[in-house]
Amino acid sequence: MLLRFTGQSAPSLRLSALRPVLIAVPSLTRPRGTPRCSRPVHQPRRPALVASASGFLLILAAALAVSAYYHLRPVSRSSTKVLSDLAEDEMTAEIAPGRPGNLTPEQEEKLKQLWKYIFQVCAVGQEQQNNAAAAADSAPEANDKAQDEDAKKSKKSRMSLFSRSKDKAKKDSPSESESTAPANAQTIVLNLKDGDADKYGQTKHFYDTLASQSPESIRDTIWSMVKHDHPDALVLRFLRARKWDVERALIMLVSTMNWRAREMKVDEDIMRNGEEAALAAEKSTDGNATAQKLGHDFMAQIRKGISYVHGHDKQGRPLCFVNVRLHKQGEQAEEALERYTVYLIETCRMLLQPPVDTATIVFDMTNFSMANMDYTPVKFMIKCFEANYPECLGTVLVHKAPWIFQGKSTSPPHPSPIPFILLTHPVTGIWKVIRGWLDPVVANKVHFTNSAKEMEAFIPLKHIPKDLDGEEDWTYSYVEPVENENACMRDTETRDRLLAARAELYKEYEEATLEWIRSAEGSEEAKKAKARRNEIADKLRVGYWEVDPYVRARSYYDRIGVLQPGGKLNWYPGEEKEKKVGEGEDEKKPVVEAVAATPAVAVATSADDVD
């Protein structure tokens, strides 16, 4: 067909309609490869060319007629609104590369390898392997020695997926003076040296975790982090963050689990106690000044609205707003700042719905001064995203940053497709210091904006709050915890029953994954195992929201109705009401027809979404 409706505006539609015709002009007017002036002036025109030119004019006339029809025909406001909403909603309908359901064969093989290593660390499947090895060792002595040697080799390969020959291990591994791994952790040997591209010392943390934690505790921490995610989605975050290097991804994952369980106590303390416990500590009169201070500082941040999550951008990513001017250096204890940072990131994870798996942060720098600059929490936030929450950051917008923050800026070497946004970053000032701490991939996700119009490149104007010169009439106002909002958490019997059922699903997923790893790629067994894994993952997602009220304290977002039972989200209640009210049956009919005729909106995936 010459024309295809794409949901574009009328002017864009006319240009797109003519583009195929204009491209076809050279082929209609001269043979391919023939110079424009190859025909002498006195040479008569050939009939074929005349016919081609006539055909071109007819096609051009038809194109103009169709374009005029789309341009001049009346379109109801409801039709335009629904089509606009449809295009916006479908921006996130496509699965980005490197995610479950969109993996290359090479990426899928890397995923298998990482699961295999995770199972070794967590001793998953070891019982069956030990039984098989014991059976081989108890064989009659009359068996041939060669068979006995084969059984021992088989046992060794099953028991240690990381192990290599001693000579190779000594050759490739760091020397005793270089290595920081404990002696009892050396059963797992990696091809990495301590400090090699290891910004946060995670290789040491990896070995320390293996030495200090049992396989069962590491396994429990991994599954507790999964929550409503697809297990593969969580594991793939670490693979993408480490450029599909399986060993580095394993180190990062295990180090993160140690950080969650031992250092921050994310699930056992921060998320389980939440805002209600902070409020109780703040009001406590038991004489524990430290706990009271931490509770007060935690609640001060959330009451002031220094940072909060509200709405989503054009890609469907939750928006985290940080009002920098409200933070004063030294007002809150460092531990309280870190606890609230982790609490907000974890809460934001609850607000992610597949295929959306990242968030956008908006730093509002309006009225920023040096009194607001505090490098310590900035460093902690950077470490969180780079070391412990990989691939969770979609875009960072630094809005209305003053010269003291930006420093001297440089002009882009080439014209920018978005000329009103500063895509090249300042070379001096505070930003230069912060940029030096960032991984280049993260730094490239930072954009500077100075107006709502510039911000509109990332966020619909109707979803930009009015205090940022947008159109949304919404202001953050904290709602305090209410009595008995966490009553479910005292029902330990129901909690334990739900967790036991969930633990069985964990085992089923592990068994299906082992079957998937063992099966030949493309075989019926592999297809069945993959289907089984996805089926169990869906049960885990649905089941999480059943257990959620028993393991996570209610948050501000639960109280105001943004996060609803079953994990449903309602960012903009006003828009939902408008859709339900409608604009009459007469106007609804053409809207439905228009929507049905509209093809799916294609989504372009940037490098930032992959790295």
Side-chain angles (χ1 to χ4, degrees):
M1 291 181 63
L2 179 63
L3 293 173
R4 183 169 65 90
F5 182 61
T6 61
Q8 297 171 317
S9 60
S12 300
L13 182 62
R14 291 201 303 274
L15 289 175
S16 63
L18 291 177
R19 192 173 292 113
V21 178
L22 296 176
I23 292 173
V25 171
S27 63
L28 292 174
T29 55
R30 68 179 186 279
R32 181 172 298 185
T34 305
R36 290 178 180 270
C37 300
S38 61
R39 179 178 59 82
V41 177
H42 63 274
Q43 181 177 342
R45 295 179 180 272
R46 281 178 273 182
L49 289 179
V50 174
S52 298
S54 300
F56 165 70
L57 291 175
L58 288 173
I59 294 172
L60 179 61
L64 290 173
V66 176
S67 299
Y69 165 74
Y70 280 109
H71 179 68
L72 298 175
R73 70 187 181 97
V75 180
S76 66
R77 290 180 60 191
S78 59
S79 298
T80 304
K81 183 177 185 301
V82 170
L83 291 174
S84 175
D85 291 343
L86 179 68
E88 183 178 318
D89 291 342
E90 290 184 347
M91 284 296 289
T92 58
E94 185 173 304
I95 301 175
R99 273 72 171 179
N102 191 7
L103 297 175
T104 66
E106 294 78 11
Q107 291 170 347
E108 187 167 313
E109 182 59 31
K110 296 286 188 181
L111 179 62
K112 283 184 178 181
Q113 292 177 22
L114 185 50
W115 272 116
K116 189 188 300 184
Y117 288 175
I118 291 170
F119 287 167
Q120 163 117 24
V121 170
C122 300
V124 172
Q126 290 291 330
E127 183 178 351
Q128 296 90 329
Q129 293 175 359
N130 290 340
N131 292 339
D137 291 341
S138 62
E141 294 183 0
N143 287 347
D144 186 79
K145 291 184 179 181
Q147 293 179 354
D148 190 41
E149 287 297 321
D150 290 341
K152 290 181 180 180
K153 290 180 181 179
S154 176
K155 174 185 175 183
K156 181 178 179 180
S157 64
R158 287 194 303 266
M159 292 297 293
S160 182
L161 298 171
F162 289 98
S163 296
R164 298 169 295 166
S165 64
K166 293 183 179 180
D167 293 337
K168 183 173 178 58
K170 289 180 180 179
K171 179 181 179 181
D172 294 345
S173 61
S175 64
E176 292 182 5
S177 60
E178 292 176 331
S179 178
T180 56
N184 59 345
Q186 291 293 346
T187 54
I188 293 180
V189 182
L190 301 177
N191 291 310
L192 300 174
K193 291 186 177 181
D194 296 343
D196 182 19
D198 191 2
K199 182 176 179 180
Y200 297 104
Q202 291 185 319
T203 304
K204 180 181 184 302
H205 297 159
F206 170 78
Y207 284 120
D208 288 347
T209 302
L210 297 183
S212 61
Q213 293 192 41
S214 67
E216 293 77 12
S217 66
I218 298 174
R219 174 182 177 272
D220 291 344
T221 306
I222 293 174
W223 279 116
S224 69
M225 188 178 181
V226 170
K227 294 183 170 58
H228 62 297
D229 282 342
H230 191 302
D232 279 354
L234 177 64
V235 173
L236 285 167
R237 287 184 184 275
F238 293 91
L239 276 172
R240 295 197 306 272
R242 290 297 175 258
K243 310 299 183 187
W244 302 93
D245 185 314
V246 177
E247 290 188 352
R248 294 186 190 279
L250 176 72
I251 288 173
M252 186 183 192
L253 186 146
V254 173
S255 175
T256 294
M257 297 308 132
N258 181 68
W259 176 84
R260 292 179 66 87
R262 296 298 178 90
E263 189 172 338
M264 294 305 301
K265 294 181 172 57
V266 176
D267 296 308
E268 293 183 4
D269 178 11
I270 294 178
M271 300 308 294
R272 177 168 293 178
N273 294 320
E275 298 165 26
E276 185 182 47
L279 179 63
E282 180 187 36
K283 295 181 177 180
S284 175
T285 57
D286 62 1
N288 190 337
T290 301
Q292 188 175 22
K293 169 68 173 172
L294 289 176
H296 170 77
D297 290 353
F298 184 96
M299 295 304 297
Q301 294 177 82
I302 197 169
R303 287 183 181 126
K304 288 181 179 179
I306 295 177
S307 53
Y308 57 84
V309 185
H310 175 69
H312 58 78
D313 65 8
K314 288 185 175 181
Q315 301 298 322
R317 297 177 293 214
L319 292 167
C320 179
F321 293 91
V322 181
N323 295 304
V324 183
R325 67 184 180 277
L326 299 180
H327 173 76
K328 297 294 188 295
Q329 184 177 5
E331 276 192 350
Q332 282 93 33
E334 182 178 336
E335 183 179 350
L337 291 172
E338 293 181 355
R339 286 177 64 87
Y340 182 70
T341 299
V342 172
Y343 177 75
L344 190 62
I345 295 174
E346 284 288 326
T347 302
C348 193
R349 285 189 64 210
M350 298 291 100
L351 305 174
L352 293 174
Q353 291 187 331
V356 177
D357 59 0
T358 59
T360 292
I361 300 180
V362 180
F363 287 95
D364 181 10
M365 304 288 289
T366 305
N367 299 325
F368 170 85
S369 70
M370 287 304 296
N372 307 125
M373 190 61 233
D374 195 349
Y375 286 112
T376 301
V378 172
K379 278 187 174 182
F380 180 77
M381 185 183 299
I382 291 172
K383 181 183 178 182
C384 281
F385 282 114
E386 290 188 352
N388 305 123
Y389 292 98
E391 297 294 303
C392 287
L393 194 59
T395 300
V396 177
L397 303 181
V398 181
H399 189 61
K400 291 188 176 180
W403 67 269
I404 197 173
F405 182 87
Q406 295 193 46
K408 183 180 178 182
S409 62
T410 57
S411 301
H414 304 291
S416 169
I418 309 176
F420 46 77
I421 294 178
L422 181 61
L423 295 178
T424 56
H425 301 298
V427 296
T428 59
I430 297 172
W431 169 243
K432 181 182 179 181
V433 177
I434 296 176
R435 185 181 176 89
W437 298 336
L438 296 174
D439 181 276
V441 173
V442 176
N444 289 333
K445 297 179 180 181
V446 179
H447 306 278
F448 287 79
T449 61
N450 290 303
S451 66
K453 183 179 180 181
E454 296 176 3
M455 194 179 291
E456 193 179 5
F458 305 92
I459 308 169
L461 193 62
K462 65 178 181 178
H463 292 166
I464 300 175
K466 283 190 174 181
D467 60 353
L468 295 178
D469 301 323
E471 296 179 351
E472 187 186 11
D473 188 11
W474 184 88
T475 303
Y476 176 82
S477 179
Y478 181 64
V479 177
E480 297 280 334
V482 298
E483 188 177 359
N484 290 325
E485 69 178 10
N486 295 312
C488 287
M489 301 189 73
R490 294 191 290 271
D491 185 358
T492 57
E493 182 180 351
T494 302
R495 180 200 65 193
D496 293 344
R497 175 175 55 81
L498 292 172
L499 289 176
R502 191 166 175 81
E504 289 301 315
L505 289 176
Y506 296 157
K507 292 180 181 179
E508 291 182 25
Y509 190 87
E510 290 167 348
E511 291 171 359
T513 300
L514 287 169
E515 183 63 30
W516 173 56
I517 292 172
R518 288 192 294 261
S519 302
E521 180 62 31
S523 65
E524 284 300 317
E525 291 78 8
K527 293 178 182 179
K528 290 180 180 178
K530 289 171 68 174
R532 179 63 177 154
R533 294 174 80 247
N534 288 330
E535 177 185 339
I536 299 169
D538 192 56
K539 291 181 179 180
L540 286 169
R541 177 185 60 80
V542 174
Y544 171 77
W545 295 111
E546 295 178 3
V547 74
D548 178 71
Y550 299 89
V551 297
R552 180 182 66 86
R554 300 301 87 184
S555 69
Y556 161 76
Y557 306 95
D558 296 281
R559 279 176 232 119
I560 66 173
V562 168
L563 182 55
Q564 301 179 343
K568 295 180 181 179
L569 299 179
N570 187 10
W571 288 115
Y572 308 105
E575 292 184 8
E576 292 296 324
K577 291 180 180 178
E578 289 179 7
K579 290 180 181 179
K580 289 181 180 180
V581 171
E583 296 186 29
E585 294 297 329
D586 293 337
E587 291 187 346
K588 287 182 181 178
K589 186 175 181 181
V591 173
V592 174
E593 293 175 351
V595 171
T598 305
V601 179
V603 180
T605 302
S606 67
D608 287 347
D609 294 324
V610 180
D611 294 335

